[in-house]
Amino acid sequence: MRHYKSFVALGDSFTEGLNDPGPHGHYRGWADRVAERLAADDPSFRYANLAVRGKLLDQIIAEQVPVAVEMAPDLVSFCAGGNDLLRPGSDPDVMAKKLARAVRELRAGGADVLLFTGVDPRDTPLMRRLRGRFAVFYLHLRSIADLYGCRLVDQWSMQGLRDWRAWSPDRLHMNEDGHRLVAARVLDVLGVPFDDWRKDWPERSVDPRARRREDAQWIREYLVPWVGRRLRGVSSGDGLSPKRPELTPWG
């Protein structure tokens, strides 16, 4: 197990921490939880989180990767592409080539790099139609991790994340329980003792009619506004800055 003295997190809303409420009006999320655990072993541990909700792969590569390279941390998490894959015409093969070049740049500085597959979208209305596109991209991520010696956090295999109780009402962002499970999986990949990431939720029965009502409500309250923003070229992260732009001591 490598002893990490610094950690920089790159990405979009998943890494920013939506929807896991934290202090001072910011979100907490899995990355903050990981940083807190790593800092417990080293009071001088430093952490930066450059992730901003709504960012696309090209934006993350252009705006966040060079900053992370300049910071020269021991550990970098790099999760990007989910917002791209939801857009019509996205090409997972082209995306993977871009991501691979960024990973090479990060690894050249000596940092350990964490890559992530996403959660299997087969249980999500409408998104399940894009399952093949997501699967191809995540297979590329596995190959990139192997080629460049990265650590891979495989969310696709995390059955605990397939339960809606790990997600917020928008069905796009995890809640506190979901982020806690991801943090536990990340720390397991890093070889750091922490909670078990495996989760068996208590059984519950759901009335199919109630499920259909919930799906219809989700489409009205979350999907339609999301599609509207895409059509207008508006991002939820427009005008927002990273919550931890500097590599500073935790706490």
Side-chain angles (χ1 to χ4, degrees), residues 22 32 37 49 64 84-85 88 99 104 122 145 149 162 179 196 210 218 226 247:
D32 285 16
R37 173 61 185 86
N49 189 318
Q64 299 178 24
D84 299 74
L85 292 169
L99 188 139
R104 286 200 299 268
R122 67 180 177 179
R162 291 189 55 204
H179 279 284
D196 190 357
W218 172 74
W226 183 88
L247 190 58

Side-chain angles (χ1 to χ4, degrees), residues 26-40:
H26 293 298
Y27 289 105
R28 190 181 183 191
W30 68 266
D32 285 16
R33 293 173 180 273
V34 168
E36 183 177 30
R37 173 61 185 86
L38 295 177

Side-chain angles (χ1 to χ4, degrees), residues 18-29:
L18 276 68
N19 282 322
D20 180 9
H24 312 301
H26 293 298
Y27 289 105
R28 190 181 183 191

Side-chain angles (χ1 to χ4, degrees), residues 8-58:
V8 176
L10 312 180
D12 52 28
S13 57
F14 169 65
T15 302
E16 184 185 345
L18 276 68
N19 282 322
D20 180 9
H24 312 301
H26 293 298
Y27 289 105
R28 190 181 183 191
W30 68 266
D32 285 16
R33 293 173 180 273
V34 168
E36 183 177 30
R37 173 61 185 86
L38 295 177
D41 292 336
D42 185 350
S44 66
F45 175 83
R46 296 176 300 148
Y47 169 54
N49 189 318
L50 307 181
V52 176
R53 68 196 74 171
K55 292 297 184 181
L56 301 172
L57 176 61
D58 285 347

Side-chain angles (χ1 to χ4, degrees), residues 171 204-216:
R171 303 186 182 181
R204 67 170 181 173
S205 59
V206 179
D207 185 335
R209 291 171 298 180
R211 173 58 61 85
R212 287 194 291 271
R213 288 195 298 270
E214 291 175 358
D215 289 347

Side-chain angles (χ1 to χ4, degrees), residues 17-22 27-30 33 161 164-169 173-184 201:
L18 276 68
N19 282 322
D20 180 9
Y27 289 105
R28 190 181 183 191
W30 68 266
R33 293 173 180 273
L161 294 180
W164 286 121
R165 284 168 285 188
W167 296 81
S168 58
H173 302 102
M174 296 175 190
N175 59 22
E176 178 182 352
D177 290 323
H179 279 284
R180 185 183 298 111
L181 291 175
V182 173
W201 295 92

